[in-house]
Amino acid sequence: MNQLETRELAYFVAVAETLHFGQAAERLGITQPPLSRAIAHLERRVGVPLLERTTRKVRLTAAGEVFLTECRTLLAAMDTAVRKARKAAEQQRVTIAARPGSGPGVLPALLAAEAQGPDGVLTDVVFTYDEIGALQDGTADVALMCQTVATPGLEMIELGPEKPVVLLPAGHPLAERPFLTLIEVEALPGYEAHLPNEALDTMVDRVALGQLVVVVGDSVRGRLGESVRAVPVHGYPPTQLVLAWLPDARPATSRLTATAHAVLAGRTPGPSASASTDPESSADVEVSGDGEIERSAGWPAPAPTAP
């Protein structure tokens, strides 16, 4: 069989997802006749019918269902290959993946240290709710994230433990308690075990209105205002703030991880900054407004894995 073309795969996915040749053609920016011919040609090359067509509707055959899944995988892999190739050409640019509203101390410190470095590395930030996915598909080179369990396949630096707190409205009956147990938190109306896919400020507004109860990292206290209280939670799984990357990371990424070690050690990064992990430097850190390293860091933590 002759090799299939990317264009043919994209055409088929458009038809398979819309189940309408006219809508698929509009989505692709072409007219319907060449699309119909391309799909018919594709089916001849594959050797089996992929679509059932009547005057009233289009539907996928069993072979078409399987082919659609594989086409999506192939097209996604090609997009990833393009992104990674472009990244490789930009040896002095590194992209960090982080959640919206996260890393209130560590992320600015890391960016500031990179800007002062001697190697001319340009650092970008992409905000996402799937930090690991951003590493795997080439969108980002490094991820700043929290983890409660080990993540196989990644190399990482532990930046420090995250202390969990539950966010409650200021007038809540439990808002002035010294701490709550995880069981008590899970029983509260409005409690969500997983962080909503929204910015921290939005979550805080929803908590203040009594629409949400959620566990986050204690470093967000400075962004809560007067209408929300943060109460420590006992029994929450240990969480670490980490900087993570894939083993085959580019040289520029090594520069960034060396900078992270330098920030943890409280020194100005330089060309000889070591990339080896210093266990004593893994204490929890945060950077104040004047750039000094202080105790206590973190960001919104992930949901607990178990009581």
Side-chain angles (χ1 to χ4, degrees):
M1 182 181 68
N2 294 331
Q3 291 184 345
L4 299 178
E5 299 178 5
T6 305
R7 174 181 57 85
E8 294 176 312
L9 303 185
Y11 282 8
F12 173 74
V13 169
V15 174
E17 290 179 346
T18 60
L19 294 179
H20 192 285
F21 276 83
Q23 292 177 10
E26 183 176 354
R27 171 171 150 182
L28 293 166
I30 62 176
T31 58
Q32 186 172 336
L35 176 59
S36 298
R37 290 194 296 270
I39 295 299
H41 185 233
L42 174 64
E43 288 180 309
R44 288 195 298 271
R45 296 177 70 179
V46 174
V48 296
L50 302 174
L51 299 166
E52 291 181 359
R53 308 165 181 80
T54 68
T55 56
R56 302 184 61 181
K57 64 180 180 180
V58 177
R59 68 179 182 181
L60 289 166
T61 64
E65 294 278 4
V66 172
F67 194 64
L68 174 60
T69 299
E70 297 301 323
C71 283
R72 285 171 170 161
T73 301
L74 288 169
L75 291 172
M78 294 188 70
D79 287 342
T80 297
V82 170
R83 278 194 295 270
K84 289 186 174 182
R86 289 173 177 170
K87 284 283 185 182
E90 298 175 350
Q91 288 296 328
Q92 295 305 309
R93 183 178 293 275
V94 177
T95 301
I96 303 175
R99 283 183 173 245
S102 63
V106 174
L107 184 57
L110 196 56
L111 296 177
E114 278 290 278
Q116 297 169 6
D119 295 341
V121 176
L122 301 175
T123 307
D124 298 325
V125 179
V126 57
F127 292 104
T128 176
Y129 294 98
D130 183 11
E131 301 95 318
I132 295 177
L135 294 178
Q136 293 173 337
D137 69 12
T139 300
D141 304 295
V142 180
L144 188 61
M145 63 187 192
C146 282
Q147 68 163 20
T148 54
V149 296
T151 307
L154 294 180
E155 297 182 8
M156 60 184 63
I157 301 171
E158 291 187 355
L159 301 180
E162 179 69 288
K163 300 175 183 178
V165 295
V166 59
L167 301 186
L168 298 174
H172 194 281
L174 303 179
E176 302 304 324
R177 286 268 298 270
F179 69 87
L180 294 174
T181 66
L182 182 57
I183 293 176
E184 289 176 312
V185 170
E186 291 176 332
L188 292 174
Y191 171 69
E192 292 189 14
H194 298 279
L195 284 180
N197 286 350
E198 57 195 28
L200 175 62
D201 291 342
T202 302
M203 284 192 285
V204 170
D205 287 343
R206 291 179 59 201
V207 170
L209 294 172
Q211 300 174 353
L212 175 68
V213 173
V214 68
V215 176
V216 299
D218 68 347
S219 63
V220 307
R221 289 178 184 271
R223 299 179 58 183
L224 299 182
E226 297 297 324
S227 59
V228 173
R229 297 287 185 270
V231 182
V233 180
H234 288 189
Y236 194 88
T239 302
Q240 281 284 339
L241 181 67
V242 302
L243 191 68
W245 62 94
L246 295 175
D248 60 351
R250 299 178 295 115
T253 300
S254 299
R255 157 70 196 175
L256 179 64
T257 55
T259 300
H261 282 291
V263 170
L264 285 174
R267 65 181 187 271
T268 302
S272 61
S274 171
S276 62
T277 303
D278 176 3
E280 295 298 321
S281 70
S282 294
D284 37 338
V285 296
E286 186 169 0
V287 178
S288 63
D290 58 4
E292 293 296 320
I293 300 293
E294 298 178 348
R295 286 290 176 184
S296 180
W299 56 8
T305 55

